[in-house]
Amino acid sequence: MPELPEVETIVRGLRASLIGERVSGAWIGWPRTVDCPSAPAFLHRLVGRTVMNVTRRGKFVCLGLDEGWLFVHLRMTGRLLLGPGDVHAPWRPYERARLSFGSGLELHFVDVRKFGRLYLVSSRGDVCANLGIEPLDDEFTPEALQRLLTSRRRQLKPLLLDQNVVAGLGNIYVDESLWRAGLHPLRRSDTLTDIECRRLCEATQQVLRTAISDGGTTLRDYRNADNGSGSHGDVLAVYGREGEACRRCGITILRETVGGRGTRYCPKCQPLCPSQETDEGA
DNA sequence: CACAGCTCCTGGCAGC
DNA sequence: TGCTGCCAGGAGCTGT
């Protein structure tokens, strides 16, 4: 599933090609792909707009237009693929939307599970207002993270997955960051020490930066804008490695359901002290 | 406030 | 071989 590093990789790929391009045509294959406004209004307002910038906010791809914003959320299986223009080309399998540009370039939104969404809004805040801190921004410091953690009494994993707290982390990189920081996914957020917050902050940034430099993690569905795959899957420490040996201590990686999500961790490197369990309250 | 459970979707896979 | 049915999983929502 695309998380921050995958979206960042896609954004970089799109930026090189789309800035300055004018939308000359737009089509929708699955109307519910458009979250807002209605599909007809979406098409009507989008055609004729020019792409001014391509950025990322959390897991959103943000196309800044000469008037308004086009946001894309890929959710589970969404892909944004650039291709040469061919108005008569048949739709790709699972293609849900298509944009054509003045130069002839085309952008295909392909999404097997139909969870991905497009948003055409007048201001950035219409989509991003409630999103949490960007983990690769300068403001993401150990102190800031500690404030976010200790002001809540929640399990670490669901808290880190909450886009309104930290924007951009998903199941893969939360598991990887917690392993790197040596923290149990069920650890209660308000029990972390200064040093543990610092470890988590640095681990999260390290994991994300490494993944971006690898072009993202490709497990099954992710592709970048040029339909290429990322290489980061080869170096994952825990995600998808249940039953295998921990790369640090050799103990078998476990899988548990936490907050409804499949969660992988090393029971030795990520211990849960009895006094800090979420449900025993010390 | 925290969190469990449901919804949306479909390909992939286990079980029979 | 072929069918049934379960599962993953991001995010929004409801219920407890």
Side-chain angles (χ1 to χ4, degrees):
Chain A
M1 328 122 249
E3 303 180 27
L4 187 155
E6 292 74 33
V7 177
E8 181 65 29
T9 301
I10 290 165
V11 161
R12 290 178 186 184
L14 295 177
R15 187 179 291 146
S17 305
L18 287 187
I19 290 181
E21 287 281 355
R22 179 179 172 278
V23 180
S24 55
W27 299 267
I28 299 296
W30 176 254
R32 294 181 64 175
T33 293
V34 180
D35 190 279
C36 68
S38 66
F42 176 91
L43 297 174
H44 180 72
R45 291 179 203 171
L46 184 58
V47 174
R49 301 277 63 78
T50 298
V51 178
M52 309 303 284
N53 55 69
V54 184
T55 56
R56 179 191 59 75
R57 177 74 172 98
K59 299 177 197 171
F60 286 94
V61 175
C62 317
L63 300 188
L65 309 173
D66 56 335
E67 195 181 314
W69 292 83
L70 172 62
F71 287 89
V72 182
H73 199 302
L74 303 169
R75 294 282 180 96
M76 307 292 299
T77 55
R79 300 179 183 180
L80 281 172
L81 303 173
L82 278 173
D86 180 2
V87 179
H88 304 295
W91 281 53
R92 305 183 188 215
Y94 313 114
E95 186 171 357
R96 310 302 179 195
R98 179 183 292 189
L99 305 186
S100 66
F101 295 94
S103 68
L105 204 61
E106 285 186 349
L107 183 62
H108 307 262
F109 182 64
V110 174
D111 183 24
V112 171
R113 292 192 200 172
K114 299 178 174 176
F115 283 0
R117 290 292 179 267
L118 308 178
Y119 311 74
L120 186 60
V121 294
S122 51
S123 83
R124 242 177 116 81
D126 293 340
V127 171
C128 298
N130 295 322
L131 284 180
I133 192 167
E134 280 287 331
L136 292 180
D137 273 5
D138 292 340
E139 299 84 63
F140 190 75
T141 61
E143 295 74 25
L145 180 59
Q146 187 162 31
R147 281 192 293 275
L148 291 172
L149 296 179
T150 55
S151 62
R152 298 167 174 85
R153 307 175 93 217
R154 296 177 60 183
Q155 298 170 340
L156 266 187
K157 167 129 186 187
L159 179 60
L160 293 172
L161 283 175
D162 188 338
Q163 300 301 298
N164 297 327
V165 179
V166 181
L169 300 180
N171 213 25
I172 297 173
Y173 295 111
V174 167
D175 279 4
E176 292 297 308
S177 299
L178 289 173
W179 176 82
R180 193 177 179 96
L183 293 167
H184 194 285
L186 286 175
R187 181 71 179 278
R188 213 177 64 187
S189 63
D190 62 332
T191 67
L192 266 68
T193 65
D194 299 6
I195 289 169
E196 288 173 324
C197 288
R198 178 169 296 275
R199 281 209 324 257
L200 180 57
C201 181
E202 289 171 356
T204 302
Q205 295 194 318
Q206 189 63 50
V207 163
L208 294 175
R209 289 205 177 99
T210 304
I212 290 172
S213 71
D214 288 344
T217 301
T218 299
L219 292 177
R220 184 172 296 153
D221 296 299
Y222 166 72
R223 287 294 184 279
N224 63 31
D226 298 319
N227 206 17
S229 50
S231 64
H232 193 66
D234 303 335
V235 299
L236 292 177
V238 285
Y239 192 87
R241 295 196 66 242
E242 57 266 34
E244 297 178 40
C246 172
R247 297 193 197 279
R248 189 188 289 135
C249 75
I251 291 285
T252 302
I253 299 297
L254 301 182
R255 183 193 189 280
E256 247 176 69
T257 298
V258 177
R261 302 274 176 259
T263 300
R264 291 81 177 174
Y265 70 101
C266 169
K268 186 173 175 188
C269 297
Q270 300 169 257
L272 180 61
C273 306
S275 65
Q276 293 162 335
E277 284 185 30
T278 50
D279 51 351
E280 320 252 352

